[in-house]
Amino acid sequence: MTNWTARLAVISGGLSEESSTHRLAQLLCDAVVESAREQGGEVVVQRIDLRALAHDITTASLTRFAPPALADAYEVLGAADAVVAVTPTYKASFTGLFKSFWDATADGVLSGVPVIVGATGGSTRHSLVTDTALRPLFAYMKALVMPTAVYASPDEWAGRGLEARASEAADELTQQLERGLGGADVAVNGSSEARSSKVEEAPRTSSKSFRTLADTRNRARDPFVAVPTMEEMLRG
């Protein structure tokens, strides 16, 4: 029996069609789906491939207007209950494409939303990118970044350590979702302005704490209203 249902937006910043970044994003996605199943929940996955949106992201950066495909992606993001975000590591940080996508994201969209951050790179010497670049970025957007970040270098794909870290991060994420969605009856998810007709078709549940997430997102758009601290979000 499914006790709760959540939408998961998986953001992959891979720059090639068959990249290790896409592979890591899929690994984290599968781990979240499995962890949710073990905890009596269900996750509806919606993927956003930044490579396919590269021209639209550039247009949005220059004009502040999102073309239709990019606007659809932002609607998916705005309705998401949780996010997995993965980028390649370039020059010890995220790529320009990855950053430009978030630069054009509306304020408050990620407020209080649990996020797993991940990165890929050519060697383990870049492994701190998740803490030095990704974590500050999502903290600025008031997201609830999971304690376990996942970095993957080529050597790590051969062992089981990568899967173990992915499972640990997924468990942290689904625990947050279960606290907000478990045992809910009424469908309330995010702000109504942030949903597309496609997103509306996904199963939804809600609870008091989940309505608080919608309130938090709306409040974060108002610069004159205080937004809850990370500790307050964790306490629900």
Side-chain angles (χ1 to χ4, degrees):
M1 177 181 177
T2 299
N3 298 320
W4 51 269
T5 302
R7 299 183 183 94
L8 176 69
V10 179
I11 318 296
S12 174
L15 300 181
S16 61
E17 291 184 0
E18 298 296 332
S19 68
S20 59
T21 302
H22 291 327
R23 187 179 174 188
L24 179 59
Q26 186 62 52
L27 176 67
L28 291 169
C29 173
D30 292 343
V32 172
V33 170
E34 179 60 26
S35 178
R37 185 181 298 116
E38 292 175 353
Q39 297 184 39
E42 180 182 0
V43 171
V44 178
V45 177
Q46 294 178 290
R47 294 173 175 81
I48 299 174
D49 180 1
L50 300 189
R51 181 179 185 273
L53 298 171
H55 292 292
D56 287 352
I57 292 171
T58 301
T59 297
S61 298
L62 295 175
T63 66
R64 310 308 298 173
F65 172 78
L70 181 59
D72 287 345
Y74 283 132
E75 288 182 349
V76 168
L77 182 64
D81 307 321
V83 172
V84 167
V86 185
T87 179
T89 304
Y90 276 34
K91 301 295 191 291
S93 187
F94 35 65
T95 64
L97 178 64
F98 186 84
K99 181 62 163 58
S100 295
F101 174 79
W102 298 110
D103 285 345
T105 301
D107 292 340
V109 168
L110 289 186
S111 289
V113 177
V115 176
I116 295 175
V117 295
T120 58
S123 71
T124 55
R125 68 192 180 99
H126 292 302
S127 60
L128 288 178
V129 66
T130 55
D131 290 326
T132 60
L134 289 173
R135 201 174 292 278
L137 170 65
F138 288 99
Y140 176 82
M141 292 189 286
K142 302 183 178 72
L144 186 60
V145 186
M146 296 301 97
T148 300
V150 182
Y151 176 84
S153 64
D155 294 340
E156 292 177 289
W157 289 102
R160 303 286 296 181
L162 192 58
E163 291 183 5
R165 292 200 304 277
S167 296
E168 184 176 358
D171 287 344
E172 293 166 355
L173 185 76
T174 52
Q175 286 169 13
Q176 290 297 321
L177 290 174
E178 186 178 25
R179 289 175 61 186
L181 303 175
D185 300 310
V186 183
V188 178
N189 185 10
S191 61
S192 59
E193 297 83 4
R195 300 187 198 130
S196 67
S197 58
K198 293 180 181 179
V199 175
E200 286 286 357
E201 296 172 0
R204 293 172 296 163
T205 56
S206 177
S207 68
K208 180 177 179 181
S209 60
F210 196 37
R211 289 194 294 271
T212 300
L213 170 55
D215 293 341
T216 300
R217 280 175 159 168
N218 290 332
R219 290 173 66 195
R221 297 186 177 97
D222 186 343
F224 300 103
V225 177
V227 175
T229 65
M230 197 70 71
E231 290 77 11
E232 291 171 336
M233 292 177 187
L234 281 168
R235 289 198 300 267

